[in-house]
């Protein structure tokens, strides 16, 4: 299993995803501001992995306060939590991981600092372990929807690099492969940051899973040729009604699936469901630096002065999602009730 994020020697160790696939570089992060930088640069990314990062990030924050003999006030804890949550506003797992540890700080504030620290570290470890287990359960549920000889199209990266375990959407693909189903995967390159071409293809190569990288704008042509049996994507936040935010380009795939009658599946742990968001309109969409569009590998590709637009996510309406696959069960669309 890829060790995407771990707690090692009182710091967070991550694999730097901006260096993949050419180099496997690990970074040790011991300060919250460094972690926020790494999250913003997408050195660590993917909703469930961000949940784990948020939890360990709160531990780092408290550790910093304690070692600098600062009083652990509610206000300081709130500030650390808010800056972590704000670093990637769409992925609700980040907020979820941060708040789970923050809740514990509130509960243990009358204990000795050493006890407070050890209960927080244990809770962050528990979040990592739960995520590893959740990937296995989700993979087994989802693999029921994948038949032998299926050709699956996926977008962005929903694998081990995006989670603590072996992935959500990609976890389903890995599980189907382990069940000896002869599958083929079309990997959207995923402009602008190429998580598909760089990261998903790297993971599938490691797993020995047959795959082909395509440019994002080729999916319609493939579906018209009946080369896609289903699409499996992840999610960064799912509203109460099932509307799902995921990497920009996901909605376009859902539209193509509707046109070509291809099942469109969203795979995500229940920690991605935000019951406070009534529908997709309540999901904040992160807008990223325009250089990601106007530049490629540090070189400007657009004319000087050309404007760009760079929303990192889009929202697929629940009515267009065939099913949402979680670690608990498969929720069948088009009407979703996650209280079941
Ligand atoms: O901007 P990223 O790379 O963090 O976006 C990630 C995605 O959109 C994933 O599909 C999503 O987080 C699900 S990961 C299991």
């Amino acid at each position: 299993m890829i060790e995407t994020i771990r707690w090692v020697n009182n710091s967070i160790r991550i694999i730097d995803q901006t260096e993949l696939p050419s180099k496997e570089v690990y970074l040790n992060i011991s300060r919250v501001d460094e972690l926020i930088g790494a999250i913003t640069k997408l050195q660590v990314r993917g909703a469930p992995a961000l949940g784990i990062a948020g939890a360990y990030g709160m531990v780092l924050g408290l550790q910093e306060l304690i070692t600098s003999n600062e009083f652990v006030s509610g206000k300081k804890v709130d500030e650390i939590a808010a800056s972590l949550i704000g670093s990637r506003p769409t992925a609700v797992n980040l907020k979820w991981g941060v708040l789970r540890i923050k809740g514990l700080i509130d509960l243990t504030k009358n204990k000795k600092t050493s006890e407070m620290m050890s209960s927080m570290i244990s809770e962050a470890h528990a979040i990592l372990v739960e995520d590893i287990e959740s990937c296995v359960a989700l993979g087994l549920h989802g693999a029921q929807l994948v038949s032998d000889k299926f050709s699956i199209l996926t977008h962005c990266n929903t694998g081990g690099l995006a989670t603590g375990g072996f992935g959500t959407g990609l976890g389903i693909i890995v599980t189907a492969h382990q069940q000896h189903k002869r599958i083929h995967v079309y990997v959207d390159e995923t402009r602008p940051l190429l998580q598909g071409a760089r990261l998903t293809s790297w993971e599938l190569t490691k797993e020995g899973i047959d795959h082909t990288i395509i440019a994002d704008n080729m999916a319609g042509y493939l579906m018209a040729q009946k080369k896609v049996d289903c699409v499996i994507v992840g999610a960064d936040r799912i509203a109460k009604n099932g509307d799902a935010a995921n990497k920009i380009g996901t909605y376009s795939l859902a539209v193509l699936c509707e046109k070509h009658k291809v099942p469109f599946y969203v795979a995500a742990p229940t920690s991605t469901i935000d019951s406070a968001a009534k529908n997709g309109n309540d999901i904040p969409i992160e807008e990223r630096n325009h250089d990601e569009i106007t530049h490629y590998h540090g070189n400007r590709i657009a004319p000087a002065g050309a404007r760009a637009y760079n929303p990192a996510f889009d929202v697929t309406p629940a009515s267009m999602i065939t099913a949402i696959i979680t670690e608990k069960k498969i929720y069948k669309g088009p009407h979703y009730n996650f209280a079941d």
Side-chain angles (χ1 to χ4, degrees):
M1 187 166 45
I2 308 161
E3 296 208 334
T4 295
I5 178 159
R6 292 291 183 272
W7 182 254
V8 180
N9 294 333
N10 295 327
S11 37
I12 302 174
R13 195 194 61 198
I14 58 162
I15 185 165
D16 181 351
Q17 301 194 31
T18 60
E19 296 282 358
L20 288 171
S22 44
K23 285 189 229 149
E24 281 185 42
V25 178
Y26 287 86
L27 303 174
N28 288 314
I29 296 174
S30 55
R31 292 201 334 261
V32 180
D33 59 348
E34 277 179 83
L35 177 65
I36 289 172
I39 291 174
T40 315
K41 280 185 255 167
L42 270 53
Q43 287 172 309
V44 57
R45 47 149 296 283
L50 289 173
I52 300 160
Y56 283 130
M58 287 301 287
V59 178
L60 278 188
L62 201 79
Q63 190 171 264
E64 273 181 74
L65 290 179
I66 292 168
T67 49
S68 59
N69 285 325
E70 279 198 61
F71 176 61
V72 181
S73 71
K75 188 166 168 274
K76 288 220 167 84
V77 171
D78 285 350
E79 278 167 13
I80 296 168
S83 49
L84 278 166
I85 292 169
S87 61
R88 292 291 317 265
T90 303
V92 75
N93 307 60
L94 176 58
K95 181 177 174 186
W96 171 87
V98 165
L99 294 186
R100 199 158 138 182
I101 301 298
K102 189 174 165 294
L104 204 64
I105 299 178
D106 298 340
L107 281 178
T108 54
K109 64 177 176 239
N110 296 325
K111 295 207 167 151
K112 279 200 265 174
T113 49
S114 58
E115 283 175 42
M116 197 176 183
M117 276 304 293
S118 72
S119 58
M120 269 186 314
I121 294 174
S122 309
E123 185 72 0
H125 289 339
I127 290 176
L128 170 63
V129 171
E130 282 167 28
D131 192 55
I132 295 171
E133 290 168 356
S134 149
C135 288
V136 174
L138 190 155
L140 286 168
H141 289 310
Q144 295 170 39
L145 303 169
V146 175
S147 303
D148 189 33
K149 296 195 178 160
F150 250 30
S151 188
I152 304 161
L153 192 149
T154 189
H155 191 62
C156 197
N157 172 267
T158 61
L161 291 168
T163 63
F166 68 3
T168 56
L170 219 61
I172 295 173
I173 289 168
V174 170
T175 306
H177 174 74
Q178 287 170 348
Q179 293 171 343
H180 307 292
K181 292 176 184 162
R182 290 159 292 176
I183 49 173
H184 175 262
V185 185
Y186 284 110
V187 178
D188 262 0
E189 63 173 355
T190 318
R191 274 280 292 155
L193 296 178
L194 307 179
Q195 289 92 330
R198 295 187 302 108
L199 309 178
T200 299
S201 178
W202 181 74
E203 289 197 41
L204 289 172
T205 303
K206 270 185 181 284
E207 293 289 341
I209 300 177
D210 186 32
H211 66 282
T212 307
I213 300 170
I214 56 163
D216 300 345
N217 50 7
M218 296 174 186
Y221 183 56
L222 285 183
M223 287 189 202
Q225 293 179 92
K226 304 210 177 311
K227 286 193 172 164
V228 179
D229 294 301
C230 71
V231 167
I232 306 179
V233 296
D236 282 76
R237 191 182 296 229
I238 300 174
K240 203 173 166 194
N241 72 337
D243 291 353
N246 191 50
K247 178 54 55 196
I248 192 78
T250 301
Y251 170 63
S252 319
L253 286 176
V255 172
L256 287 170
C257 283
E258 198 167 77
K259 166 80 183 162
H260 295 283
K261 303 197 171 24
V262 171
F264 179 86
Y265 300 124
V266 171
T270 45
S271 53
T272 306
I273 300 168
D274 178 7
S275 48
K278 221 165 84 216
N279 57 46
N281 295 328
D282 292 335
I283 301 179
I285 299 295
E286 175 187 0
E287 218 195 300
R288 294 185 58 83
N289 198 310
H290 295 179
D291 287 1
E292 291 178 356
I293 305 287
T294 54
H295 289 64
Y296 183 72
H297 262 277
N299 298 317
R300 192 171 179 99
I301 50 170
R307 276 205 304 271
Y309 176 46
N310 190 15
F313 301 96
D314 57 27
V315 176
T316 302
S319 60
M320 299 174 81
I321 301 171
T322 313
I324 296 179
I325 305 151
T326 73
E327 78 283 12
K328 291 201 177 133
K329 61 183 270 192
I330 298 175
Y331 293 91
K332 296 232 164 85
H335 304 292
Y336 293 94
N337 178 3
F338 300 114
D340 283 0

